[in-house]
Amino acid sequence: MLKKNYMKKFEGNFVSQLPGDAISIFAVMSKISAEHGALNMSQGFPDFEVSPKLIDRIHYYMKQGHNQYAPMTGVQALNKQISNVVKELHGADYDPQKEINITSGATQAIYTIISAVIKDDDEAIIFEPAYDSYAPSIKLNGGIVKHAQLRMPDYSIDWEEFARMITHRTKLVIINTPHNPTGSIISAEDMQRLGEILRGTDILVLSDEVYEHLIYDDNIHQSVAKFPELAQRSFVVGSFGKTFHATGWKMGFVLAPENLMAEFRKAHQWVVFTVNTPIQYALADYLSEPKNYLTLGSFYQKKRDYFLRKIKKSRFKIVPSSGTYFQVLDYSDISDEGGMDFAVRMIKEFGMASIPLSPFYQDKTETHRLRFCFAKEKETLDKAGEILCQI
Ligand SMILES: Cc1ncc(COP(=O)(O)O)c(C=O)c1O
C-alpha cells in the first residue's frame, strides 16, 4: 500500500538535458485525434495487416525454440539476406558478420550511431524540415545541431549552403531519402555532390533510408551504399517496420564499413545488446523472396495516386511526393492560420488528423503545409477525400 504522503515529484535539483523540447508532434496529434475520434492520417503507420505468412514464420520459429538472446550482431541468416539484397539493389558488398548489425528499429540505430560518434561540442548538420529524432539525439550526446534548409518549394538540397556550414568541428551529416516529412528524394547528382564536398574531410554520414523501397514514378532509390566514396564514411539505416507494415515490431538494421561498425557495436551492446530473435529468423526467410519488397513501390504508388484522385477537387495544393507514404498538402488558399492551429481545427471541426510541418523546423518556420500518411485502406482514403473536399 502506498503511504498517503508518498512523494510523486522529485524535489531535488535537476537540470533538463533537453530544455524546451516537448513531446513528439506525432504523439500530440495522435492523442488529439483519438480524443475527437478523428480519421488519423497523422502518424506514419499502415491501417492494414502484416502478411500472415510472415506472422506464421515468427510463430514457427518461436515454436522451434528460438526464444533466447540472439547474437549481438544479429541472427546471421538475416544479416546474410540483407547483404544479398544490398548487393542486388545497389551493387555494394557488405560483410554480414562485420559490416551489418540488426537493431531495435531505426530510431535505436540512429541514436546509437550518434552516441558512438558524437562527443561534446562536435557539430552535426541536419536538413530542415528534419525527422524529429535527429536533433535531440545529437543534443543528448553533447553535440551541437546545425540546421541546413531544404529549398522551397520542392525541398531540394542547397549544397553551397551546406558546404559553407562545414567547420573544423563538423563530425557528422545526416541525410534522409526518401524524406520524411516531405516525400522528396535525393538524386544521384546530389550524392555525387555530397561526396565531392566531403572528400578529404573526416566527416561521417548517417544516411536514414527507412523508406528505401517506397519510391515512385520510376525513380530509383539512391542509397549512399551505391557510391563507394560516400559508403566508406557512412552508416546506412533501414527499418523493417516500414518495409513490412510492422512499425510496432521495432526492427531495423545498420550497414557500415568494418571500422565504423566496430565503433557502433561498442555503443549498441550497452544500449540494447540484442533484439527480438524469432522475428529476425522470420525476416530472413521473408527477405529471401524479392517480391516481398520489390512490389512495395507500386503498391504504395497506387495508394498515393488514389488519394490524390480523391482530393483533386479540394482547395488543397499538392506538393509532389516521390517516396515515403506521406503526401504534403499546401492549405494557403484555404487559411492563413498557423499549421498547428489549422491542423487542430481540422481535427475538431472536420474529424481529420494530419501533421503540420512547422514542428519539423527548429524555429517552427510556417509554410502552411500539412503532412498526410496515405498508408491506409481504400475506405480510409475515400473518407479522407470526402472530408478534404469539404474544407
Ligand atoms: C525518417 C525516419 N527515420 C526513422 C524512423 C524510425 O523508424 P523505426 O520505427 O524503425 O524506429 C522513422 C519512423 O517514422 C522515420 O520516418
Side-chain angles (χ1 to χ4, degrees):
M1 257 257 295
L2 283 179
K3 285 194 194 139
K4 221 173 169 192
N5 63 350
Y6 178 80
M7 209 189 304
K8 290 197 188 118
K9 188 176 164 210
F10 176 62
E11 289 186 339
N13 286 321
F14 183 77
V15 179
S16 170
Q17 300 285 75
L18 291 172
D21 275 31
I23 297 293
S24 133
I25 184 66
F26 307 115
V28 172
M29 296 312 283
S30 287
K31 183 166 178 281
I32 307 176
S33 170
E35 279 163 9
H36 291 83
L39 196 70
N40 189 357
M41 289 182 79
S42 61
Q43 210 172 350
F45 61 85
D47 71 352
F48 40 86
E49 263 318 316
V50 175
S51 151
K53 236 169 96 186
L54 179 52
I55 290 176
D56 283 349
R57 292 316 285 165
I58 299 170
H59 192 203
Y60 169 80
Y61 283 112
M62 283 179 162
K63 286 194 296 185
Q64 290 294 304
H66 292 285
N67 298 304
Q68 307 308 328
Y69 293 130
M72 189 263 273
T73 55
V75 165
Q76 279 307 293
L78 179 56
N79 295 36
K80 278 190 194 132
Q81 282 305 333
I82 294 171
S83 176
N84 292 343
V85 172
V86 174
K87 201 176 295 169
E88 191 62 36
L89 296 181
H90 309 312
D93 205 354
Y94 282 88
D95 183 283
Q97 178 65 38
K98 299 182 186 135
E99 300 180 317
I100 299 177
N101 216 101
I102 311 303
T103 62
S104 180
T107 312
Q108 183 247 311
I110 292 164
Y111 188 85
T112 309
I113 293 164
I114 291 171
S115 66
V117 305
I118 290 287
K119 61 176 179 4
D120 282 353
D121 299 333
D122 282 341
E123 292 177 0
I125 301 176
I126 67 174
F127 294 89
E128 282 192 331
Y131 179 62
D132 64 350
S133 88
Y134 307 151
S137 303
I138 295 162
K139 289 191 252 172
L140 282 171
N141 285 286
I144 297 167
V145 187
K146 296 283 171 178
H147 298 87
Q149 303 300 311
L150 292 177
R151 276 189 296 220
M152 291 291 275
D154 60 350
Y155 302 108
S156 56
I157 296 180
D158 180 347
W159 290 113
E160 321 273 270
E161 182 200 31
F162 170 73
R164 280 196 304 274
M165 290 173 71
I166 292 176
T167 73
H168 66 283
R169 286 192 177 160
T170 309
K171 189 70 176 282
L172 181 70
V173 50
I174 303 183
I175 55 174
N176 172 211
T177 185
H179 184 257
N180 178 11
T182 68
S184 64
I185 52 175
I186 293 182
S187 67
E189 294 71 38
D190 284 320
M191 288 296 187
Q192 267 140 11
R193 192 83 180 86
L194 177 61
E196 283 160 19
I197 296 171
L198 299 186
R199 196 174 295 151
T201 72
D202 295 326
I203 300 170
L204 301 172
V205 176
L206 189 171
S207 186
D208 180 346
E209 303 183 11
V210 299
Y211 301 102
E212 59 185 319
H213 301 296
L214 280 62
I215 189 151
Y216 314 129
D217 309 319
D218 298 326
N219 284 298
I220 291 171
H221 172 56
Q222 300 297 335
S223 171
V224 285
K226 268 198 169 102
F227 302 83
E229 185 183 17
L230 273 178
Q232 57 96 13
R233 58 170 83 239
S234 297
F235 295 92
V236 184
V237 174
S239 171
F240 295 111
K242 307 296 178 185
T243 302
F244 295 132
H245 322 310
T247 58
W249 293 356
K250 297 300 289 186
M251 298 295 292
F253 63 90
V254 176
L255 315 174
E258 186 176 349
N259 56 346
L260 294 184
M261 183 54 81
E263 288 307 308
F264 171 84
R265 286 175 177 167
K266 286 183 196 170
H268 176 77
Q269 65 184 331
W270 305 126
V271 175
V272 62
F273 188 66
T274 175
V275 304
N276 192 302
T277 308
I279 297 185
Q280 290 194 59
Y281 279 103
L283 286 170
D285 289 353
Y286 205 64
L287 266 189
S288 69
E289 289 184 52
K291 71 168 174 14
N292 290 335
Y293 51 88
L294 291 183
T295 49
L296 278 167
S298 64
F299 173 78
Y300 276 116
Q301 182 171 325
K302 281 191 198 116
K303 291 205 176 285
R304 181 201 63 178
D305 293 347
Y306 188 77
F307 178 53
L308 292 184
R309 276 203 301 281
K310 289 282 153 184
I311 60 166
K312 212 168 163 195
K313 296 209 171 98
S314 83
R315 292 192 292 155
F316 288 90
K317 284 183 286 198
I318 292 158
V319 179
S321 168
S322 304
T324 73
Y325 39 47
F326 302 118
Q327 176 62 57
V328 171
L329 299 179
D330 178 321
Y331 64 85
S332 53
D333 284 352
I334 304 173
S335 166
D336 53 14
E337 276 163 280
M340 196 64 198
D341 291 343
F342 187 68
V344 170
R345 191 160 70 79
M346 264 178 56
I347 294 177
K348 292 185 178 163
E349 284 181 24
F350 297 94
M352 171 91 220
S354 59
I355 298 269
L357 254 56
S358 42
F360 295 88
Y361 294 88
Q362 61 151 349
D363 65 359
K364 313 287 174 251
T365 303
E366 189 50 73
T367 53
H368 299 109
R369 290 179 171 194
L370 303 173
R371 189 200 79 174
F372 295 79
C373 172
F374 57 77
K376 306 292 170 192
E377 296 280 17
K378 196 167 159 289
E379 296 67 38
T380 316
L381 298 176
D382 285 339
K383 189 96 204 295
E386 267 170 44
I387 296 174
L388 291 172
C389 287
Q390 286 164 26
I391 299 176

